[in-house]
Amino acid sequence: MTGTVDRYEMVNVLTRRIEAFTRLSQDDRAILERMARRTIREVGARRDLIREGDAPRSVFLVLDGWACRYKTLPDGRRQIVSFFVPGDLCDLHIYILREMDHSIASITPVRVAEIARDDFEKLLADHPRLVQALWWDELVTMAIQREWTLNLGQRTAFERIAHLLCELYIRMQSVGQTNGNSINFPLTQVDLADATGLTAVHVNRTLQELRKGGLVELQSKTLTIPNMDALKDVAMFNDNYLHLDREGRHLDAND
Amino acid sequence: MTGTVDRYEMVNVLTRRIEAFTRLSQDDRAILERMARRTIREVGARRDLIREGDAPRSVFLVLDGWACRYKTLPDGRRQIVSFFVPGDLCDLHIYILREMDHSIASITPVRVAEIARDDFEKLLADHPRLVQALWWDELVTMAIQREWTLNLGQRTAFERIAHLLCELYIRMQSVGQTNGNSINFPLTQVDLADATGLTAVHVNRTLQELRKGGLVELQSKTLTIPNMDALKDVAMFNDNYLHLDREGRHLDAND
DNA sequence: CGGGTAATTGACCCGGGTCAACAGCAGTGG
DNA sequence: CCACTGCTGTTGACCCGGGTCAATTACCCG
């Protein structure tokens, strides 16, 4: 999977992701990568990138590492509402809102491209095919959030964790971050608990069940899924909401 | 509140909603209302407007009545992932996806404007201020979905229902659909259960607690909130995620 | 007045939470 | 090289919020 990943490949995760939807032209790809390379920020593990209440200023893009959005209640309860894996963008146009209604934090050390509002607007104005692709990205983000709503509302702990693991595996796969049937998986059991609305203790027990059933191997930050079909089955995982099947292929660049 | 609502007022709910963000020009308002009036569809209560797996064709806008998005699991478990109240739009650009990953159904009889893809694209191309406003709408929709994630993951049944009632009240208020401190509230206890991930039995018991505490009155399709501050308090409701405070006022039309 | 949907109640149960102790392991500083 | 610290994972005993099942009771609406 990784080993040494050069800067080119890191920027590449976004084009890789977008090309699950539509093929970009050399020009689109170049402009996107140039933009992403402009302001790269490196942040250590477990730090807030932006906090609820802050004024959003720029769009950002995770080039390397994992991050999450989270919300908290006044008494400290905490819910991770989504994960960012390499290639994920935060909300386009977020800067039209006055203040953030959630926080974003790194999980591992991350490398993030921050795209200034004006640059971003210009990008959209000049590159219609990118606009479509970024819309697709946004729609997928929304679909994931709805799927999480279903996950939290209806699935049992066992199904819920299985489902989350399926999703993260497939999202990593869609940006070429797999190694055989394994991915790099930096979440702790506490992270999983905060994302699934369970306690860390119960996550632990549920993971043991999943391991016992031969459905997952999870150790030293590596997740292995020996039989994806079996895991999808118990999770009732249907990947339609990720819209990965090159649905925008009629928009492909032909150069 | 209602009684007889003429056609003008029904279309008006969207402009009303948008003007919680930015003031539109006469021209913007006119174009939006003309568009909405183009293809009005009336649908009875409890019918699917579009089903998971269908190809999305148009954007639609709820002019009158309530609807919901929902997702189901293969074994029949059902989660309502969001509600539409008058003035709510379904996802812009949804038509770039090949198939729906969720269904949309009416709750009451609804009057819906279906805006064809091409008309909608044209609207966006010609009216930049509307584009901003519709972006705002989309960002709020996403923020609501995240708040629901928090709701399902962290709040107790009592807090969760209190929170949902706050949200729906305030959303109705933002389109001028209140009557004193009451709103028209067509959801059954089963609907509430499907939206909160609880059972109808438990929703019933929880509503009784809320009534006993004097926090809500709910009878014959009318929800009354005698003391909003008290309800917000137990729900830990923070309305920041609805971004209603005319955040885009710097974009206001000045005609 | 009959038939169907929505609300309510009671008895009982279970998935997942709580609390507390402990084990493994990585980093870090002496 | 080892002791110390702190985080992550694991286990056991016990408990409770909310689910399940099944029966009633309103409430519409024609």
Side-chain angles (χ1 to χ4, degrees):
Chain A
M1 160 175 39
T2 50
T4 52
V5 176
D6 69 22
R7 191 155 284 215
Y8 174 76
E9 281 197 46
M10 287 184 299
V11 171
N12 198 31
V13 286
L14 176 60
T15 59
R16 178 94 183 228
R17 169 157 171 68
I18 285 177
E19 293 198 333
F21 172 69
T22 185
R23 201 69 72 207
L24 298 176
S25 67
Q26 284 299 341
D27 185 46
D28 290 336
R29 217 175 295 159
I31 200 87
L32 203 54
E33 307 213 340
R34 183 153 6 104
M35 190 120 309
R37 220 173 285 241
R38 191 85 66 85
T39 333
I40 290 187
R41 182 172 157 204
E42 310 207 8
V43 180
R46 308 286 168 187
R47 313 205 86 77
D48 284 334
L49 303 188
I50 187 167
R51 271 195 205 92
E52 182 169 348
D54 289 353
R57 248 177 296 278
S58 48
V59 169
F60 69 77
L61 162 61
V62 176
L63 298 173
D64 196 38
W66 287 36
C68 67
R69 286 178 221 270
Y70 68 91
K71 301 194 67 148
T72 53
L73 293 177
D75 63 6
R77 279 174 275 175
R78 176 170 185 269
Q79 178 70 35
I80 291 179
V81 298
S82 64
F83 289 111
F84 294 90
V85 301
D88 282 340
L89 272 169
C90 80
D91 315 273
L92 313 181
H93 291 98
I94 186 71
Y95 45 72
I96 71 175
L97 298 180
R98 194 167 41 187
E99 61 174 63
M100 295 290 290
D101 53 60
H102 61 275
S103 304
I104 301 182
S106 61
I107 288 171
T108 63
V110 293
R111 195 184 302 260
V112 179
E114 296 209 35
I115 305 172
R117 174 183 185 138
D118 292 345
D119 290 345
F120 194 74
E121 297 280 4
K122 196 154 172 326
L123 177 74
L124 296 184
D126 298 347
H127 297 269
R129 189 178 298 108
L130 281 180
V131 173
Q132 292 272 1
L134 294 174
W135 263 111
W136 164 81
D137 187 84
E138 191 94 344
L139 288 168
V140 170
T141 301
M142 297 177 79
I144 290 173
Q145 202 72 49
R146 286 190 294 262
E147 186 70 29
W148 280 44
T149 306
L150 171 62
N151 213 17
L152 287 165
Q154 301 299 326
R155 286 191 179 87
T156 64
F158 187 80
E159 296 160 351
R160 204 181 295 176
I161 291 177
H163 188 278
L164 179 58
L165 299 181
C166 277
E167 179 186 300
L168 290 170
Y169 182 91
I170 288 173
R171 286 169 59 189
M172 288 291 273
Q173 189 174 48
S174 79
V175 285
Q177 302 271 94
T178 53
N179 181 14
N181 47 17
S182 300
I183 59 171
N184 208 315
F185 190 87
L187 303 182
T188 65
Q189 294 182 0
V190 172
D191 293 328
L192 286 171
D194 286 350
T196 54
L198 301 166
T199 57
V201 171
H202 201 63
V203 166
N204 181 289
R205 292 179 169 133
T206 305
L207 284 175
Q208 288 179 51
E209 270 189 82
L210 283 163
R211 283 192 269 247
K212 213 170 301 165
L215 291 165
V216 308
E217 291 157 35
L218 180 51
Q219 51 193 308
S220 55
K221 305 295 174 204
T222 299
L223 168 68
T224 304
I225 300 181
N227 182 347
M228 180 55 99
D229 286 343
L231 188 62
K232 280 184 172 173
D233 217 53
V234 306
M236 291 176 285
F237 185 90
N238 176 340
D239 69 4
N240 66 351
Y241 72 100
L242 297 173
H243 299 280
L244 287 173
D245 196 20
R246 306 224 34 257
E247 299 192 4
R249 66 173 74 87
H250 56 289
L251 303 169
D252 282 3
N254 48 12
D255 65 354
Chain B
M1 157 177 40
T2 51
T4 52
V5 176
D6 70 22
R7 191 155 286 215
Y8 175 76
E9 281 198 45
M10 287 185 301
V11 171
N12 198 30
V13 286
L14 176 60
T15 58
R16 178 93 184 231
R17 169 157 171 67
I18 284 177
E19 294 198 332
F21 172 68
T22 185
R23 202 69 72 208
L24 298 175
S25 68
Q26 285 299 342
D27 185 45
D28 290 336
R29 217 175 295 159
I31 199 85
L32 203 54
E33 307 213 340
R34 182 151 9 103
M35 189 119 310
R37 222 172 284 242
R38 190 85 65 85
T39 333
I40 289 186
R41 182 172 156 204
E42 309 207 8
V43 180
R46 309 286 167 186
R47 314 204 85 76
D48 284 335
L49 304 188
I50 187 167
R51 269 195 207 92
E52 183 169 346
D54 290 353
R57 248 177 296 279
S58 48
V59 169
F60 70 77
L61 163 61
V62 175
L63 298 173
D64 195 38
W66 287 36
C68 67
R69 286 178 222 271
Y70 68 92
K71 302 193 68 149
T72 52
L73 293 178
D75 64 5
R77 279 173 277 174
R78 176 171 185 269
Q79 177 71 34
I80 291 179
V81 298
S82 63
F83 289 111
F84 294 91
V85 302
D88 283 339
L89 273 169
C90 80
D91 315 274
L92 314 180
H93 291 98
I94 184 72
Y95 45 73
I96 71 174
L97 298 181
R98 194 166 42 188
E99 62 173 62
M100 295 290 289
D101 53 59
H102 61 276
S103 303
I104 301 182
S106 62
I107 288 170
T108 62
V110 292
R111 195 184 302 261
V112 179
E114 296 210 36
I115 306 172
R117 175 185 183 138
D118 292 346
D119 291 346
F120 194 74
E121 297 280 3
K122 197 154 172 326
L123 178 75
L124 297 184
D126 298 347
H127 298 269
R129 189 178 299 106
L130 281 181
V131 173
Q132 292 272 1
L134 294 173
W135 263 111
W136 165 79
D137 187 83
E138 191 94 344
L139 289 167
V140 171
T141 301
M142 297 177 79
I144 291 173
Q145 200 72 49
R146 286 189 295 261
E147 187 70 29
W148 281 43
T149 307
L150 171 61
N151 214 17
L152 287 165
Q154 300 300 328
R155 287 190 178 87
T156 64
F158 187 80
E159 296 160 352
R160 203 182 295 178
I161 291 178
H163 188 277
L164 179 58
L165 299 181
C166 277
E167 179 186 300
L168 290 170
Y169 182 91
I170 289 173
R171 286 169 59 188
M172 288 292 273
Q173 189 174 46
S174 79
V175 286
Q177 302 272 98
T178 52
N179 182 15
N181 47 16
S182 299
I183 59 170
N184 209 313
F185 191 85
L187 302 183
T188 65
Q189 294 183 0
V190 171
D191 293 328
L192 286 171
D194 286 350
T196 54
L198 301 166
T199 58
V201 171
H202 200 65
V203 166
N204 182 288
R205 291 178 170 136
T206 306
L207 284 174
Q208 289 179 50
E209 269 188 84
L210 283 163
R211 282 192 271 248
K212 213 169 301 165
L215 291 165
V216 309
E217 291 158 36
L218 179 51
Q219 52 193 309
S220 56
K221 306 293 173 205
T222 299
L223 168 68
T224 304
I225 300 180
N227 183 347
M228 179 55 100
D229 286 343
L231 188 62
K232 280 185 173 173
D233 217 52
V234 305
M236 289 176 287
F237 185 89
N238 176 339
D239 69 4
N240 67 351
Y241 72 102
L242 297 172
H243 299 280
L244 286 173
D245 197 20
R246 305 221 38 256
E247 298 192 4
R249 67 173 73 88
H250 56 290
L251 303 169
D252 283 3
N254 48 11
D255 65 355

